[in-house]
């Protein structure tokens, strides 16, 4: 007897029956049963090798028979084997094609994804938080949709403006149709206007053009505007570091006299702050009468006036036609970026597009002579790209008072930030009725998260291979917040990934100059998408694209209130329904209309003061 639990050797007659049965099974296999045949044959072989008794009973004859059996089986099923090998090879080939599609468009700089952290990492250096997803179900549906439509091209209708008649409007703010009212007369000059502009690049740009208009309105000489140093922006750049001084002065010389510095005899008055006018003394979007009543008397009395902390302090209506046109001329023609910024911007756009920079009016207005430095290539089409201005910085998130799904830790962190940076906001909250985060989101007052921006792009039909230039500052929550965007849209680049550290070094500590590079990349894009229509950069970029785009520079503006209503159904809404509602929302916001009364001429220049209808 053998040991308990050990298998018994089969009887000779039983073994013979099993062997015959096995032979019949092998003989009856078809090509479709290849894998089953292998399992049966393997099982039979293991049985044949299972005991010493088998080895002593003519094992050499069995091996010879087994080899003949295999040879016969392969001859009968040769075609099936060949088909299986071909199918396997095809699968591996398709897999390599898919990998190539997703990764071939990425530059070496993009492949070093760690450099993207310069934009996305939390600036306080805290430990990276766990990924936060507010709409996991929708993200899964979006991912499935993108996977199905991997070979689908980008949605072509977003390449054009919605208005079919947009091409009838052409830029003409630089025409010489200036009335006698704006012709400069040195005999009637009322004095000098100094301007110290606050904010970042885009706030300063608005302040410059408003100052030009005020100088023309008050018949005064404008001193080249200065930029105040801000603890937020921490940029010491002045006018000549960002814009071309001489060109600015010469381009506007027929309408406004501009000098680089205040005359020596007036500096003592400025030092004593005798004619200082702060932002608090001028109402927001002041009318011409406000300047005539409050600023002009000081200007005549002291021969100068200093508008300190100047920003958005000139309304858009009512304003004389020629003064309004002068604002457009300043913004769209007179202000040109400094050569080093244009050259870097041209290189940035060239690297995004992979080949030569374009030669459209928009590119020429942005990049000037720097376009000539890069010769065109006729053998390749430039890469089309979407620029996304993602506004989700910590200060904006904290100020909004919204909830972004990060739980108690997020709420405590944002409250601490408010206590340190927005004490006046907290004081106002104590005296007013509080609004719940849920209500804030429902009314469209919350910044869009990277996750929400990703869902909008997916809902619009932009496929996984879409090339995206990401503009903006450090994203609150870091790379964990960016995970939905970087996962669904891997072809994501920034100026930090496209430039080498050496190329970026001259701009590294100058936030306004870095913002100028973002301005260029966004304005030159095939499609520009914003997440906050109230952003100055988004407003100025969209206006620039309307003015110079000739109807071919589309801008996508989500309606946050309508999007909040759509996302409130995130647990039940079907993906097709989500797509339809998002597209309808964007289509309605893309209609390019004439500038309504009182609206920004920098953002909506389609009006007789800025553009001419042909």
């Amino acid at each position: 007897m053998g040991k308990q639990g050990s298998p018994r050797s089969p009887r000779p007659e039983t073994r013979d029956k099993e062997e015959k049965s096995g032979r019949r099974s092998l003989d009856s296999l078809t090509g479709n049963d290849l894998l089953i045949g292998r399992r049966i044959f393997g099982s039979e072989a293991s049985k044949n090798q299972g005991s010493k008794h088998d080895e002593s009973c003519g094992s050499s004859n069995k091996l010879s028979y087994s080899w003949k059996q295999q040879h016969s089986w392969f001859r009968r099923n040769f075609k099936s084997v060949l088909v299986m090998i071909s199918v396997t090879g095809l699968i591996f080939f398709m897999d390599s094609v898919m990998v190539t599609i997703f990764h071939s468009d990425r530059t070496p700089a993009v492949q070093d994804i760690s450099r993207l952290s310069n934009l996305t990492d939390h600036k306080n250096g805290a430990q990276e938080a766990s990924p936060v997803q507010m709409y996991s179900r929708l993200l899964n549906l979006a991912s499935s949709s993108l996977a199905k439509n991997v070979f689908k091209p980008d949605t072509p209708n977003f390449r054009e403006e919605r208005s079919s008649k947009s091409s009838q409007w052409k830029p003409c703010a630089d025409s010489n149709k200036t009335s006698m009212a704006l012709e400069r007369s040195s005999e009637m000059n009322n004095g000098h206007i100094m301007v110290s502009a606050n904010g970042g690049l885009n706030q300063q740009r608005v302040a410059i053009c408003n100052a030009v208009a005020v100088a023309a309105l008050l018949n005064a000489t404008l001193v080249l505007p200065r930029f105040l140093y801000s603890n937020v922006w921490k940029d010491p750049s002045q006018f000549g570091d960002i814009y071309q001084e001489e060109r600015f002065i010469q381009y506007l010389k027929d309408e406004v006299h501009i000098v680089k510095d205040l005359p020596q005899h007036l500096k003592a008055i400025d030092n004593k702050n005798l004619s200082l006018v702060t932002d608090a003394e001028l109402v927001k979007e002041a009318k011409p009468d406000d300047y005539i009543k409050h600023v002009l008397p000081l200007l005549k009395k002291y021969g100068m006036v200093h508008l300190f902390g100047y920003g958005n302090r000139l309304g858009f209506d009512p304003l004389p036609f020629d003064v309004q046109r002068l604002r457009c001329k300043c913004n769209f023609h007179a202000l040109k970026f400094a050569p080093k910024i244009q050259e870097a911007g041209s290189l940035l756009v060239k690297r995004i597009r992979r080949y030569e920079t374009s030669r459209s009016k928009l590119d020429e207005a942005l990049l000037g002579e720097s376009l000539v430095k890069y010769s065109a290539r006729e053998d390749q089409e430039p890469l089309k790209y979407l620029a996304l201005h993602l506004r989700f910085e910590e200060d904006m998130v904290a100020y909004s008072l919204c909830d972004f799904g990060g739980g108690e830790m997020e709420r405590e962190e944002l409250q601490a930030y408010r206590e340190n940076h927005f004490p006046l906001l907290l004081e106002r909250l104590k005296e007013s009725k509080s609004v719940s985060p849920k209500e804030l989101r429902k009314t469209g007052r919350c910044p869009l998260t990277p996750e929400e921006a990703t869902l909008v792009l997916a809902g619009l039909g932009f496929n996984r291979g879409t090339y995206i230039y990401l503009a903006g500052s450090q994203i609150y929550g870091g790379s964990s917040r960016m995970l939905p965007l970087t996962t669904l849209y891997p072809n994501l680049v920034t100026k930090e990934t496209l430039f080498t550290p050496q190329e970026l070094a001259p701009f590294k500590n100058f936030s306004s100059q870095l913002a100028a590079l973002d301005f260029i990349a966004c304005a030159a894009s095939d499609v520009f998408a914003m997440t906050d229509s109230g952003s100055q950069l988004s407003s100025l970029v969209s206006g620039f694209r309307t003015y110079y785009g000739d109807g071919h520079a589309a801008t996508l503006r989500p309606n946050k209130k309508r999007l909040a209503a759509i996302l409130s159904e995130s647990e039940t809404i079907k993906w097709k329904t989500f797509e339809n509602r998002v597209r309808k929302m964007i289509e309605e916001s893309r209609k390019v209309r004439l500038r309504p009364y009182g609206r920004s001429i920098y953002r909506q220049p389609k009006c007789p003061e800025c553009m001419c209808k042909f």
Side-chain angles (χ1 to χ4, degrees):
M1 301 227 3
K3 293 181 181 180
Q4 186 176 2
S6 62
R8 296 181 179 179
S9 298
R11 295 179 180 179
E13 59 268 54
T14 304
R15 187 175 67 248
D16 292 340
K17 289 180 182 179
E18 290 176 349
E19 187 175 294
K20 291 177 181 179
S21 174
R23 288 172 192 166
R24 285 196 300 270
S25 298
L26 285 170
D27 292 340
S28 64
L29 285 176
T30 64
N32 293 331
D33 298 322
L34 179 59
L35 294 178
I36 300 175
R38 285 179 178 174
R39 287 196 295 271
I40 295 174
F41 187 80
S43 173
E44 203 60 39
S46 64
K47 289 180 181 179
N48 288 337
Q49 296 173 2
S51 68
K52 292 181 180 179
H53 176 78
D54 295 336
E55 292 176 0
S56 63
C57 296
S59 62
S60 60
N61 293 333
K62 289 184 177 181
L63 286 172
S64 175
Y65 174 79
S66 177
W67 182 88
K68 290 179 180 179
Q69 193 177 27
Q70 289 182 42
H71 184 69
S72 174
W73 184 88
F74 275 113
R75 280 191 305 172
R76 289 195 306 272
N77 297 281
F78 176 76
K79 290 184 179 180
S80 299
V81 173
L82 187 62
V83 168
M84 174 162 283
I85 293 172
S86 300
V87 170
T88 304
L90 181 62
I91 291 173
F92 278 107
F93 174 74
M94 289 300 295
D95 182 69
S96 65
V97 169
M98 297 291 284
V99 171
T100 302
I101 290 172
F102 290 152
H103 295 284
S104 64
D105 281 344
R106 307 187 72 180
T107 64
V110 181
Q111 291 171 359
D112 183 11
I113 196 66
S114 63
R115 295 179 63 192
L116 188 62
S117 64
N118 293 335
L119 180 77
T120 60
D121 278 347
H122 203 321
K123 63 183 177 183
N124 62 11
Q127 185 177 359
E128 190 68 29
S130 300
V132 177
Q133 291 186 3
M134 301 172 67
Y135 311 101
S136 298
R137 176 181 171 272
L138 276 180
L139 279 177
N140 290 334
L141 293 176
S143 181
S144 299
S145 176
L146 292 179
K148 291 177 183 177
N149 298 325
V150 66
F151 292 110
K152 182 181 177 181
D154 296 346
T155 310
N157 60 322
F158 288 120
R159 304 286 187 200
E160 308 289 329
E161 283 185 1
R162 181 68 189 275
S163 174
S164 60
K165 299 181 179 179
S166 58
S167 60
Q168 296 179 359
W169 288 86
K170 305 293 182 184
C172 66
D174 62 336
S175 67
N176 295 322
K177 299 176 182 179
T178 305
S179 71
M180 295 297 292
L182 276 187
E183 288 185 1
R184 182 166 58 84
S185 173
S186 57
E187 292 80 9
M188 296 177 59
N189 191 289
N190 289 317
H192 288 71
I193 294 179
M194 281 188 66
V195 171
S196 295
N198 61 8
L201 172 78
N202 303 292
Q203 291 85 353
Q204 292 165 353
R205 189 181 185 100
V206 169
I208 291 168
C209 294
N210 285 349
V212 167
V214 169
L217 188 68
L218 301 182
N219 194 23
T221 294
L222 178 65
V223 180
L224 204 65
R226 298 176 181 176
F227 302 149
L228 294 175
Y229 181 83
S230 167
N231 289 328
V232 176
W233 302 103
K234 297 180 180 179
D235 186 353
S237 299
Q238 289 301 319
F239 194 101
D241 299 313
I242 300 174
Y243 301 107
Q244 300 175 31
E245 287 185 353
E246 291 298 334
R247 187 187 191 284
F248 179 75
I249 293 171
Q250 290 299 314
Y251 206 89
L252 298 173
K253 66 180 182 178
D254 292 334
E255 290 90 3
V256 178
H257 183 217
I258 302 173
V259 296
K260 291 187 177 181
D261 203 2
L262 190 67
Q264 192 65 37
H265 70 279
L266 294 175
K267 288 184 178 180
I269 297 174
D270 182 47
N271 291 336
K272 295 177 182 178
N273 294 330
L274 296 176
S275 58
L276 188 71
V277 179
T278 66
D279 234 19
E281 297 175 71
L282 283 171
V283 297
K284 187 178 180 181
E285 298 189 359
K287 293 179 172 56
D289 285 347
D290 296 318
Y291 284 91
I292 293 171
K293 291 177 182 178
H294 301 294
V295 178
L296 185 57
L298 286 174
L299 183 63
K300 288 184 175 181
K301 180 178 180 179
Y302 294 105
M304 65 137 323
V305 69
H306 188 168
L307 304 179
F308 188 81
Y310 195 65
N312 191 18
R313 287 297 183 269
L314 178 64
F316 293 100
D317 294 294
L319 206 65
F321 182 94
D322 289 319
V323 174
Q324 199 79 285
R325 171 163 286 193
L326 182 59
R327 275 172 135 177
C328 291
K329 185 174 182 178
C330 170
N331 183 51
F332 299 114
H333 296 277
L335 282 176
K336 297 294 182 183
F337 289 121
K340 72 169 186 177
I341 293 177
Q342 285 189 332
E343 289 173 11
S346 185
L347 179 60
L348 180 64
V349 174
K350 178 176 180 287
R351 285 184 179 169
I352 298 172
R353 288 178 176 158
R354 296 294 180 82
Y355 302 109
E356 83 284 356
T357 48
S358 179
R359 292 296 188 278
S360 66
K361 291 180 181 178
L362 187 55
D363 292 306
E364 291 173 0
L366 289 166
L367 304 172
E369 296 179 359
S370 64
L371 277 171
V372 181
K373 295 189 176 182
Y374 303 105
S375 58
R377 287 182 56 174
E378 298 180 357
D379 59 331
Q380 294 287 353
E381 285 267 338
L383 187 71
K384 295 186 182 298
Y385 71 99
L386 177 145
L388 173 63
H389 185 214
L390 188 57
R391 292 297 313 279
F392 200 69
E393 300 89 352
E394 187 173 17
D395 59 341
M396 187 176 189
V397 170
Y399 198 87
S400 71
L401 302 173
C402 296
D403 185 273
F404 298 96
E408 189 61 31
M409 182 181 296
E410 177 190 275
R411 286 189 285 272
E412 291 177 358
E413 185 177 50
L414 294 179
Q415 180 63 17
Y417 188 92
R418 283 188 283 267
E419 291 172 358
N420 290 331
H421 296 84
F422 305 127
L424 294 179
L425 171 65
L426 296 179
E427 288 297 321
R428 288 201 303 270
L429 290 175
K430 292 178 182 177
E431 300 173 359
S432 60
K433 183 180 178 181
S434 62
V435 181
S436 69
K438 185 176 181 180
E439 186 64 22
L440 289 171
R441 184 169 298 280
K442 184 179 178 180
T443 54
R445 292 154 66 182
C446 296
L448 293 192
T449 66
E451 180 184 10
E452 290 168 332
T454 303
L455 289 172
V456 170
L457 293 179
L460 292 174
F462 289 100
N463 68 19
R464 181 181 169 88
T466 301
Y467 208 75
I468 299 177
Y469 177 85
L470 182 64
S473 187
Q474 289 176 315
I475 303 301
Y476 174 71
S479 56
S480 63
R481 275 284 182 185
M482 289 291 293
L483 195 61
L485 184 59
T486 54
T487 301
L488 268 63
Y489 292 99
N491 291 335
L492 189 70
V493 295
T494 67
K495 54 186 176 294
E496 287 82 8
T497 60
L498 291 168
F499 282 142
T500 65
Q502 293 75 21
E503 290 169 333
L504 201 60
F507 309 97
K508 196 64 178 177
N509 296 317
F510 303 97
S511 60
S512 292
Q513 296 180 43
L514 288 171
L517 297 177
D518 276 342
F519 186 102
I520 290 171
C522 289
S525 63
D526 296 281
V527 178
F528 174 57
M530 63 178 77
T531 60
D532 178 29
S533 59
S535 160
Q536 277 287 19
L537 183 141
S538 294
S539 295
L540 291 175
V541 165
S542 62
F544 218 85
R545 291 166 64 80
T546 298
Y547 190 79
Y548 282 113
D550 198 27
H552 303 293
T555 298
L556 311 182
R557 301 181 183 89
N559 183 314
K560 290 191 287 186
K561 184 176 180 180
R562 290 186 61 180
L563 182 61
I566 297 171
L567 292 174
S568 67
E569 303 173 26
S570 62
E571 293 302 319
T572 56
I573 192 171
K574 293 182 179 179
W575 181 250
K576 194 66 180 177
T577 305
F578 178 82
E579 284 182 319
N580 292 336
R581 291 177 66 179
V582 167
R583 291 179 184 183
K584 185 177 180 181
M585 171 191 71
I586 293 295
E587 283 293 335
E588 291 182 2
S589 69
R590 289 182 59 239
K591 295 176 182 177
V592 182
R593 304 178 178 90
L594 292 180
R595 181 183 74 91
Y597 184 88
R599 294 297 181 89
S600 170
I601 208 160
Y602 308 123
R603 176 177 175 172
Q604 296 175 291
K606 187 175 286 188
C607 59
E609 296 93 332
C610 286
M611 303 179 74
C612 298
K613 189 174 182 180
F614 292 94

